[in-house]
Structure formats: C-alpha cells, structure tokens
Amino acid sequence: MTIVYRTAGAWGPGQGYNLTALQVDGNFYDLDQRIQAIEDNPPEPVNISNITVVGTQMTIYLEDATEFGPFTLPQANFRPSIVSTISTSTYAPVLADANRYKRCTNAAGCIVTLPLNASVALPVDSEIYFRQAGADPVVIDWPTDITVNVPEGFLPQTAGVNATLVVKVVAVDEWDIEGRLAQEDVTA
C-alpha cells in the first residue's frame, strides 16, 4: 500500500482533504509492515576489515574499502620514573628530559632556561619536574620567543626547600608552569 498524504509537499500531491479512518489505518499498517520487514531481515552490516595504528594515529578500514580516520589516540601521562640530580646553578633541558624528575641540589639555586622548539623539539604534552633540594629556588627563565603561562599572583620559581614545580609543553614554544610556586610580593 502507498502512504496517503493529505497535503502537497516534497512527497508529491496530497488528496486535498482529511484522511478517512481507513486511510489513516492503512498508513500505519504500511509503516508497520516496512519496520517489521527491517526487523525480520536486517541489512548486513559493513564490517571492519582492518585497524591500523601508527604512533598515536588509528585508522579503521571497512570491508567495502571505506576508511575512517586517522584518529588521534589518547596517551597516558606517565609519571616521571627517572630521577636525576642537577648540581649546577644553571640548566637547559634536553630532549631526554621529557617526563623526567630533576632534583636541583645547588645551594645557590638553579636557573632553568626553557629551550626554543627549534633547538630542542620536546613533544607537546611533555613534562619536566624540578625539585628545590638546595637553599635557593629553582627559577624558570625563557627566551622572548617562548610563551610561558604562570598562574596569576605567582613567580616562575619554587616556593622553598622541597618544593616541586613542573613545566609542561602545551604547544610549540608554549609552556605551562604549575606546582608549589613562590607568590609575587604585591606589597612593593
């Protein structure tokens, strides 16, 4: 049975007046039969034939050669598992420092200069932890071509002995600093 419409539209001409009870019931019956046919004989799905992962990129291939992706897979941030000591008063992070824990033991503190991406291409999402193990703070410094996001009201340095801060690469030449930071002196 063909569905009967009352008005004209995208479906074609309508009959121009209200449907009879028989026509309404016929429309419902027609739709019910179509739905029942789909339930009884569901279409065969296009199954996944292959999934590839290269680095953090996943691509899904279907049996009909349709391709979805690549999708970026989430990565777990692994806690720093390698602890090393910095005994000098200055330090410039290197690629191997990504996701590492550094204990700064120099009594005079340590000035850590964040590198430009052009010289040390630390991957986005890399973190480096610095702990103040000496009397003076660990101070983060950077060239003018780098953006560093320091929480408002705080300095880019540790707050005292045994304080730890973390620098995180959030974009090319952009870093966030968080941790136990020294507060700005707003009384001056």
Side-chain angles (χ1 to χ4, degrees):
M1 175 175 184
T2 303
I3 295 178
V4 179
Y5 295 95
R6 186 179 137 207
T7 59
W11 48 84
Q15 66 182 15
Y17 52 88
N18 289 342
L19 301 180
T20 66
L22 182 61
Q23 289 171 321
V24 171
D25 288 346
N27 284 349
F28 278 110
Y29 179 76
D30 182 55
L31 293 172
D32 181 52
Q33 294 303 304
R34 292 178 193 195
I35 292 170
Q36 189 63 47
I38 292 171
E39 289 175 344
D40 293 343
N41 302 300
E44 189 65 34
V46 179
N47 292 311
I48 295 173
S49 69
N50 191 23
I51 298 175
T52 61
V53 177
V54 177
T56 62
Q57 300 297 304
M58 176 181 74
T59 305
I60 301 170
Y61 301 91
L62 303 182
E63 290 175 336
D64 67 355
T66 302
E67 184 177 314
F68 294 103
F71 301 104
T72 301
L73 297 172
Q75 292 178 316
N77 260 344
F78 298 103
R79 74 170 188 81
S81 60
I82 297 178
V83 177
S84 59
T85 300
I86 299 170
S87 58
T88 58
S89 62
T90 61
Y91 187 75
V94 296
L95 194 56
D97 289 334
N99 302 316
R100 303 295 166 93
Y101 188 95
K102 304 289 187 179
R103 295 186 81 248
C104 301
T105 59
N106 191 302
C110 183
I111 297 174
V112 176
T113 304
L114 301 178
L116 285 165
N117 186 71
S119 42
V120 179
L122 285 157
V124 171
D125 213 28
S126 296
E127 295 178 347
I128 308 171
Y129 292 75
F130 293 96
R131 183 166 183 92
Q132 178 184 336
D136 282 349
V138 175
V139 177
I140 305 298
D141 193 18
W142 57 89
T144 57
D145 294 341
I146 290 179
T147 300
V148 177
N149 305 304
V150 181
E152 188 174 331
F154 292 90
L155 299 170
Q157 68 184 46
T158 52
V161 177
N162 296 322
T164 302
L165 65 77
V166 61
V167 291
K168 181 180 185 81
V169 181
V170 294
V172 172
D173 289 330
E174 183 175 0
W175 298 69
D176 283 355
I177 298 178
E178 59 185 81
R180 189 167 159 234
L181 303 175
Q183 290 187 317
E184 287 182 343
D185 181 4
V186 293
T187 61

